[in-house]
Amino acid sequence: MKKHNHLFYCILLILLNSCNQKDKTEFYLPAEWEPQSAVIVGGLEDAASFEMVSQLAKESKVYCLVADSSKEFYEKKLSAAGINLDNIKFLVSSTNFSYAQRDGLMFMKNGNGEKQLVNFAWNMYGWYFIEEFKDYIDSDKKKRELYTSIHLNAFPFPVITSSMANEGGAIETNGKGTILQVESVNMQRNPKMSKELQEAELKRILNAKKIIWLKEGAAEDPFGWGTLITENYFGIGVKGHLDEFCRFVNENTILISFPDSAEAEHDPVKKVNLERMKVNYDILKNSTDQDGNPFTIVKMPVPDIDYMTFALDTASKNDEIKFLSQQILFEQKKFSIGDTVHFVPSSSYLNFLITNKTVFEAKYWTEGQPESSKAKDETAKQILQQYFPDRKIYQINTAETNHHGGGLHCWSMQVPK
């Protein structure tokens, strides 16, 4: 009897070991808090991106995407800031990049330390469906192809491609097989592809085990340039990327950007946001992970931002007002020159980047602003510190970055170890 028992356990151990070996070869989309070998950062002309690179280079290798004409300038600027250029590698292009680095190629890995790249289809955040922008879109397509070739030269890993349009900022994972997606984003990018077909593709491409569909993204992240949010409030955005409003901080905990009801009473944009986030919150509370476990959902404050208020003027000497006026009047026929409007930056405490030793987080308070804004910055910092006790929370003012439609997470991409 003992011999049979011994034989049974030997066979069981062999089978278990075989399963483990199989698991080690399976590629998956790693969580951002897993070990990294480097971080890719673009947009160095932005003060927040440059500050993040300056800090990142102290702990990690950093790949910086720059145009060939500006490489020498940034080498000198980084050296003058006391940065060791041994940790900086420039990925040089013949042109500047017109979109966030997060939304290019994505990295997957397996238990054996092997890597592969995922190349989802690209349609410029859904703009390919707009006939008026055809010339601009053709130019962007060429930039995208150039961008891809630069990455493939720097990271010569096998590539898996998909005809499904998707972007890194629109995908959030817990590293265990659960993927968050936003219905309004995905359906706009893939109007001829049902949710069921998209789920099947995510399971094929990313080895996803469970897909959770949220309804809509943040109000201040609308689709396009100078897009109406509500009343006379406008914004720039990509229709609701996850890294603006909903992030995993461990495999079972999710942070969600959530205005309080008092704020929503006095701010039309936050009112729209509150209604959207109530729906998303309920979806998450009633969802489980890949193993059937419920999530802990933590509400993150929404920053206090001074909106840019101006009168529509297509002949303005201010280039930004002129551009926004042209866009708004083109899109919204009910508005006229002279009407007062408000421009809303896509600001969020959730557009943070997790690295090996640091979490790079947004802050918004500056001298002269209300203490309530400073308190929110501190609250956001403390929430992140709670979930990343062994990492430094490094806050950077991202007002300028947000004003142009991006954030720290948007302009970066981690390379897994």
Side-chain angles (χ1 to χ4, degrees):
M1 188 67 180
K2 287 182 180 179
K3 287 183 179 180
H4 288 300
N5 285 341
H6 180 72
L7 180 62
F8 171 77
Y9 286 121
C10 285
I11 293 171
L12 182 61
L13 285 171
I14 291 170
L15 288 172
L16 287 172
N17 186 58
S18 174
C19 289
N20 287 336
Q21 291 300 315
K22 185 180 179 182
D23 287 343
K24 279 192 170 185
T25 65
E26 184 178 84
F27 286 91
Y28 71 99
L29 188 63
E32 199 166 303
W33 52 83
E34 294 185 42
Q36 302 168 11
S37 62
V39 179
I40 308 168
V41 182
L44 288 191
E45 68 278 2
D46 179 88
S49 289
F50 187 86
E51 183 176 351
M52 184 164 69
V53 167
S54 300
Q55 293 300 315
L56 255 176
K58 297 175 183 178
E59 66 172 80
S60 172
K61 186 172 185 178
V62 186
Y63 290 86
C64 294
L65 285 153
V66 297
D68 183 51
S69 58
S70 61
K71 178 177 179 285
E72 185 178 350
F73 170 80
Y74 285 117
E75 283 178 333
K76 290 179 179 178
K77 189 174 179 180
L78 287 164
S79 293
I83 306 306
N84 182 359
L85 293 184
D86 290 343
N87 282 344
I88 303 288
K89 180 173 177 57
F90 289 98
L91 301 181
V92 179
S93 163
S94 58
T95 180
N96 284 317
F97 296 89
S98 58
Y99 48 87
Q101 313 317 316
R102 173 70 45 178
D103 300 331
L105 297 174
M106 302 176 65
F107 292 84
M108 295 178 71
K109 71 175 187 179
N110 66 17
N112 292 324
E114 297 168 317
K115 315 288 190 311
Q116 72 178 19
L117 292 165
V118 174
N119 190 16
F120 280 105
W122 170 255
N123 60 16
M124 198 181 167
Y125 307 110
W127 282 34
Y128 277 20
F129 306 122
I130 304 174
E131 186 63 30
E132 295 95 320
F133 298 113
K134 187 178 185 303
D135 291 341
Y136 182 70
I137 286 165
D138 287 344
S139 171
D140 182 83
K141 186 177 181 181
K142 292 176 183 176
K143 285 186 178 183
R144 168 69 179 203
E145 290 169 353
L146 175 61
Y147 170 89
T148 301
S149 67
I150 290 170
H151 274 73
L152 291 176
N153 286 333
F155 307 101
F157 304 128
V159 183
I160 183 168
T161 62
S162 174
S163 59
M164 175 183 173
N166 216 332
E167 301 112 29
I171 300 172
E172 185 69 12
T173 180
N174 69 346
K176 299 296 182 181
T178 296
I179 303 289
L180 301 184
Q181 294 278 259
V182 183
E183 186 174 334
S184 63
V185 175
N186 284 50
M187 299 312 296
Q188 190 265 351
R189 305 294 197 269
N190 303 279
K192 296 181 180 179
M193 196 174 188
S194 68
K195 282 203 300 183
E196 290 73 23
L197 284 175
Q198 289 188 49
E199 286 201 14
E201 186 67 349
L202 290 167
K203 289 175 180 177
R204 181 184 79 86
I205 293 287
L206 302 179
N207 280 323
K209 312 301 180 190
K210 176 79 175 279
I211 291 91
I212 298 172
W213 291 92
L214 302 183
K215 200 70 178 175
E216 289 184 278
E220 63 269 26
D221 185 19
F223 171 65
W225 294 76
T227 304
L228 182 66
I229 298 171
T230 184
E231 298 179 7
N232 60 340
Y233 292 79
F234 293 81
I236 290 174
V238 294
K239 204 172 174 60
H241 269 187
L242 277 157
D243 57 10
E244 282 291 304
F245 76 96
C246 192
R247 300 287 302 278
F248 279 108
V249 287
N250 59 45
E251 61 184 84
N252 285 111
T253 304
I254 301 172
L255 304 187
I256 183 169
S257 184
F258 212 95
D260 64 41
S261 54
E263 290 177 311
E265 283 182 15
H266 301 97
D267 186 320
V269 178
K270 287 181 179 176
K271 182 179 180 181
V272 174
N273 252 337
L274 180 58
E275 294 309 310
R276 291 185 183 185
M277 295 308 132
K278 282 179 179 178
V279 174
N280 290 330
Y281 184 88
D282 287 342
I283 291 170
L284 292 170
K285 287 299 287 186
N286 291 302
S287 298
T288 57
D289 68 9
Q290 69 288 336
D291 299 317
N293 300 312
F295 298 107
T296 298
I297 317 298
V298 179
K299 294 178 180 178
M300 195 75 149
V302 175
D304 291 328
I305 300 298
D306 290 329
Y307 302 150
M308 176 184 173
T309 301
F310 61 97
L312 293 174
D313 181 4
T314 56
S316 175
K317 292 181 180 179
N318 181 307
D319 289 340
E320 185 175 23
I321 289 176
K322 180 180 179 179
F323 172 76
L324 288 172
S325 296
Q326 289 171 339
Q327 290 297 119
I328 290 167
L329 291 169
F330 175 77
E331 295 287 344
Q332 303 295 327
K333 306 307 181 187
K334 68 178 182 178
F335 287 88
S336 303
I337 290 175
D339 287 345
T340 297
V341 297
H342 310 281
F343 177 74
V344 183
S346 54
S347 309
S348 174
Y349 288 119
L350 291 186
N351 207 293
F352 55 79
L353 173 69
I354 306 165
T355 66
N356 289 332
K357 297 180 180 180
T358 307
V359 179
F360 291 93
E361 162 70 329
K363 68 176 179 180
Y364 293 95
W365 181 83
T366 56
E367 198 69 42
Q369 291 186 326
E371 287 298 307
S372 59
S373 177
K374 189 175 186 179
K376 279 190 176 184
D377 287 352
E378 184 60 27
T379 298
K381 180 179 181 179
Q382 292 305 318
I383 289 173
L384 285 176
Q385 193 70 78
Q386 177 184 346
Y387 292 102
F388 299 101
D390 298 328
R391 287 175 169 90
K392 179 181 179 181
I393 310 301
Y394 186 96
Q395 291 186 296
I396 299 174
N397 191 297
T398 60
E400 177 190 347
T401 317
N402 299 157
H403 193 81
H404 295 106
L408 299 173
H409 195 252
C410 298
W411 290 101
S412 59
M413 173 59 84
Q414 67 280 2
V415 182
K417 202 164 186 175

